[in-house]
Amino acid sequence: MHEGLVQADRPVDISLDRSAGLRIAIVGGGISGIAAAWYLKRAKLDNFLVFESSSEPGGTWHDNRYPGAEVDIACHLYSFSFNRYDWTQRFGSQAEVKRYLEKTIDEFGLRSRFRFGATVVSAAWSDEKKLYTVSFADGRTAEFEAVISCVGFLSVPVIPPGIDLAAYPGIACHTARWPDDISLAGKRVGVIGTGSSAVQIVPEAAKVAKSVTIFQRSPNWILPKKNRIFTARQRTRYQTSWQYRFKALKEFLRYEWARIGRPERLGSKINRRMRTAAEAYLRRSLAERPDLVEKLLPDHPLGAKRAVASGDFYAAVQQPHVAIAPAVARMDADGLIDEEGNRHELDVVVLATGFSAADYLSRLEVVGRNGADLHTVWSGEPAAFLGSCVPGFPNFFMLDGPNSNSGTLLFILECQARFAADCLAAMVRAGGATVEVRRSAFDGFNRRVQERLEKSVYKTTRNYYAAASGRIVTQWPFSATRFWWMTRATRRSSMKID
Ligand code: NAP
């Protein structure tokens, strides 16, 4: 992590009055923090605060401000079920998504609950007091009966070994730490990586930069992405609630439909068909450049790493001032040297090297019953029930937790937010002090998930889905409908209230 980029804490009011109800801390003010806040309000659990280390809300949509950043899930599906928005295009830009999140916070009166510049470092359960003591980076503490972690899993940037950002003589930054004052115009730009972030930034950089060099360790599958600017008529139509919902449903069914035949299963017919289509797209797009076909044709099965959606990357790489170079061997005070020993003179180097996704909650210490530390319990293999809760950690919930990542991201997040709020509301109604997942439910759930993942394409190559041991810890291998059903139907049998 680039140390200088950590936000300094500011003294903000961090405690709540117990007489106003169950005190709940939401850690993280991004899309999942907003969902958690809304569902708590809906469940009449109104005594909560949202702690956000940054100075603004939005989480990943605040951090990832690099040129070309946009959502690659259709906006009507990438919307909260409780708040519509006048999207200008099918795939909104980072700025548009951020505006939507800000508007949601304001429309639902949530801003007063946000505590910006408040970095939570730990939450420790007391069995005696039946609450968590939450500690902040500035040394202060506050007590809460429940904690909901909304820190996301794509938030801690990967800085590869051999790369010393601070020592590099030019400008160097990670895509998720984009300096607001940086301009790529007329510059010699290097982009390290070929994932979703790199594929978005390269075409934008190529429009203005003197040169763009992509440092590729391995190529990724790219699927065509057809953005569409909505006409005034379409936008008016989507103002109507049912039309908006119908559009979102259509996009949702597109994902659910694509899951039929299990595209993630190694060797499945649908996986092979999708690979054939992606390869045809690559060969068609690069018909004039057989040299690039060779360089950009992946050797892993489609979906083994998250496939990238782009309509302009292949066009961008064919421009004369765009080049593909081998991976970076080292980058320090001496400059940037690739793995073939070539030195590259660059004014700006962008690390599109992704996030340590499998290392869940890496910046948050969570201590449960009997002093058990969550990271010790996980021993490098994060697991949870519905990506939400872990036995031995009462009143603690996660959104976007282990094995809940899926294409219908926001839908899953909302299922988890509603699940957490419902569990806590049931506990209050029952007059209990704790709600916790049963060990049997947790074990059964994770056995089924891992069995399903055993023969998946995810196990065939290096990706951010796997823990160091090789266990796939990020992906949800079933349909989103099944996730929804489980969050609704299993609460009584899987959670115990004391
Ligand atoms: P990523 O998919 O993890 O890609 C990281 C890239 O960096 C890969 O090409 C990887 O190469 C390369 N890399 C990592 N370590 C390296 C090293 N030591 N040396 C050389 N290359 C290295 O990261 P990302 O592109 O930031 O995307 C992460 C996720 O964020 C996406 O999958 C998506 O879920 C989300 N995202 C979404 C959007 C959106 O449109 N909504 C946009 C951006 C990101 P290898 O492939 O060889 O490992």
Side-chain angles (χ1 to χ4, degrees), residues 175-231:
T175 43
R177 296 291 181 270
W178 194 257
D180 287 325
D181 56 354
I182 189 176
S183 161
L184 303 181
K187 304 259 170 56
R188 296 165 301 176
V189 177
V191 177
I192 307 178
T194 48
S196 306
S197 305
V199 165
Q200 288 187 342
I201 197 171
V202 164
E204 285 306 304
K207 284 179 191 163
V208 297
K210 183 174 178 200
S211 68
V212 178
T213 307
I214 304 160
F215 295 92
Q216 171 178 276
R217 185 164 66 177
S218 46
N220 210 349
W221 285 110
I222 297 182
L223 304 168
K225 176 178 174 184
K226 292 188 196 110
N227 202 357
R228 205 180 321 121
I229 307 289
F230 294 132
T231 60

Side-chain angles (χ1 to χ4, degrees), residues 39-293:
Y39 277 92
L40 287 180
K41 258 194 129 176
R42 193 184 76 145
K44 309 223 176 328
L45 296 166
D46 218 2
N47 199 21
F48 63 84
L49 288 176
V50 184
F51 298 112
E52 168 56 53
S53 55
S54 160
S55 56
E56 288 178 49
T60 191
W61 291 107
H62 171 66
D63 294 342
N64 288 272
R65 298 190 295 271
Y66 57 85
E70 63 180 27
V71 68
D72 60 7
I73 298 171
C75 282
H76 287 86
L77 181 57
Y78 204 80
S79 301
F80 296 114
S81 60
F82 52 85
N83 198 18
R84 287 180 280 129
Y85 189 64
D86 179 20
W87 298 106
T88 62
Q89 52 192 323
R90 184 162 180 238
F91 300 107
S93 66
Q94 174 270 337
E96 194 167 9
V97 177
K98 174 98 188 302
R99 274 198 301 277
Y100 169 59
L101 298 181
E102 298 252 14
K103 187 168 176 280
T104 303
I105 292 170
D106 290 330
E107 268 179 30
F108 293 96
L110 299 172
R111 197 173 284 273
S112 62
R113 313 304 183 85
F114 274 71
R115 296 292 179 268
F116 297 109
T119 306
V120 173
V121 292
S122 72
W125 175 254
S126 159
D127 238 340
E128 197 187 319
K129 294 190 193 166
K130 303 278 186 268
L131 52 76
Y132 283 94
T133 299
V134 171
S135 304
F136 294 80
D138 64 2
R140 293 189 293 166
T141 61
E143 293 182 334
F144 296 88
E145 279 68 40
V147 174
I148 304 181
S149 164
C150 296
V151 298
F153 77 119
L154 297 171
S155 52
V156 179
V158 167
I159 308 295
I163 292 189
D164 184 345
L165 287 185
Y168 185 69
I171 299 168
C173 65
H174 189 277
T175 43
R177 296 291 181 270
W178 194 257
D180 287 325
D181 56 354
I182 189 176
S183 161
L184 303 181
K187 304 259 170 56
R188 296 165 301 176
V189 177
V191 177
I192 307 178
T194 48
S196 306
S197 305
V199 165
Q200 288 187 342
I201 197 171
V202 164
E204 285 306 304
K207 284 179 191 163
V208 297
K210 183 174 178 200
S211 68
V212 178
T213 307
I214 304 160
F215 295 92
Q216 171 178 276
R217 185 164 66 177
S218 46
N220 210 349
W221 285 110
I222 297 182
L223 304 168
K225 176 178 174 184
K226 292 188 196 110
N227 202 357
R228 205 180 321 121
I229 307 289
F230 294 132
T231 60
R233 218 165 128 200
Q234 283 172 316
R235 286 172 62 176
T236 308
R237 180 152 31 101
Y238 295 137
Q239 304 291 323
T240 320
S241 172
W242 78 264
Q243 297 260 27
Y244 195 99
R245 280 170 206 276
F246 185 61
K247 172 82 175 149
L249 179 66
K250 263 182 18 193
E251 298 286 1
F252 177 79
L253 291 177
R254 204 189 291 270
Y255 275 92
E256 292 295 80
W257 183 254
R259 286 210 46 75
I260 294 175
R262 295 180 54 189
E264 85 291 348
R265 189 160 54 90
L266 185 60
S268 66
K269 215 191 224 173
I270 176 85
N271 186 281
R272 288 201 308 270
R273 249 202 336 250
M274 284 167 67
R275 184 200 155 109
T276 305
E279 185 170 337
Y281 174 55
L282 176 140
R283 291 190 183 278
R284 205 170 50 243
S285 308
L286 301 173
E288 314 281 301
R289 294 288 303 272
D291 58 316
L292 286 180
V293 172

Side-chain angles (χ1 to χ4, degrees), residues 343-413:
R343 176 180 295 279
H344 296 260
E345 302 293 335
L346 298 164
D347 306 308
V348 180
V349 179
V350 179
L351 271 72
T353 43
F355 305 88
S356 48
D359 199 4
Y360 281 85
L361 272 53
S362 61
R363 294 197 178 156
L364 189 62
E365 184 191 8
V366 184
V367 179
R369 288 194 200 278
N370 306 314
D373 171 75
L374 184 58
H375 292 287
T376 310
V377 169
W378 278 344
S379 335
E381 294 190 338
F385 176 67
L386 292 170
S388 291
C389 36
V390 180
F393 295 81
N395 302 5
F396 176 74
F397 294 87
M398 289 170 277
L399 267 61
D400 229 354
N403 288 113
S404 64
N405 182 40
S406 120
T408 45
L409 183 107
L410 219 149
F411 176 83
I412 298 273
L413 281 182

